[in-house]
Amino acid sequence: MTAVRYLHELAMAFFVGGQLVLVAAVVPIARGSDQMRPMARRFAYGTLVALGVLVITGSIMASHFHRWSDGTLHAKLALVVLAGVLVGIHIARPANRALDGIIFVISLTIVWLGVALAH
Ligand code: HEM
């Protein structure tokens, strides 16, 4: 189970840590430059892979720890679905800046619920 939790937290680090770096270091400097859109698009595709890893490793942990009937997990899964849909919309409509902020706040909330769930 350590390897599963390791992958879950690594994928979380890419998804949430990547947003933190974009917000703190990349967007303030590269906003409007030619590099901004390809950088954001690469991160978005990496995010879809990370979400896939989170769903697979999260499901293994939810089964192993018998958490499928846990309300905290249900709330977390609802936010994960919402985050996934918004990332998809954001890939289709990259100019919508408000989505960045909404996805960021949802991601931080998912991490909180994950830590609250953890053994
Ligand atoms: C954006 C998506 C997700 C993020 C950022 C995320 C993040 C986290 C974090 C930070 C933890 C705490 C790990 C620890 O302290 O050991 C955690 C635990 C957990 N996550 Fe996720 N998670 C995500 C998606 C999922 C999904 C989709 C599932 C289920 C299908 C899931 C199921 C779990 C379970 C069951 C635990 C608790 C494991 C235990 O009991 O120790 N997670 N998650």
Side-chain angles (χ1 to χ4, degrees):
M1 203 42 57
T2 304
V4 174
R5 188 187 301 279
Y6 171 80
L7 288 175
H8 200 72
E9 294 186 21
L10 208 57
M12 180 274 292
F14 180 90
F15 176 52
V16 181
Q19 291 179 69
L20 282 167
V21 171
L22 277 176
V23 168
V26 176
V27 174
I29 306 297
R31 187 200 313 268
S33 76
D34 294 348
Q35 282 86 16
M36 189 62 235
R37 180 100 11 121
M39 276 195 288
R41 188 170 293 281
R42 281 177 73 94
F43 176 64
Y45 287 126
T47 291
L48 293 179
V49 174
L51 284 175
V53 172
L54 283 155
V55 169
I56 294 166
T57 54
S59 301
I60 294 169
M61 290 196 293
S63 298
H64 180 81
F65 294 113
H66 312 293
R67 309 305 292 271
W68 287 113
S69 56
D70 188 304
T72 305
L73 181 62
H74 298 163
K76 182 180 175 187
L77 291 181
L79 289 180
V80 170
V81 171
L82 181 59
V85 169
L86 293 180
V87 167
I89 295 172
H90 188 44
I91 290 175
R93 297 212 195 104
N96 187 332
R97 291 263 74 79
L99 270 183
D100 291 350
I102 298 168
I103 295 169
F104 187 44
V105 171
I106 291 172
S107 308
L108 296 179
T109 312
I110 295 171
V111 173
W112 178 275
L113 294 172
V115 173
L117 265 174
H119 280 71

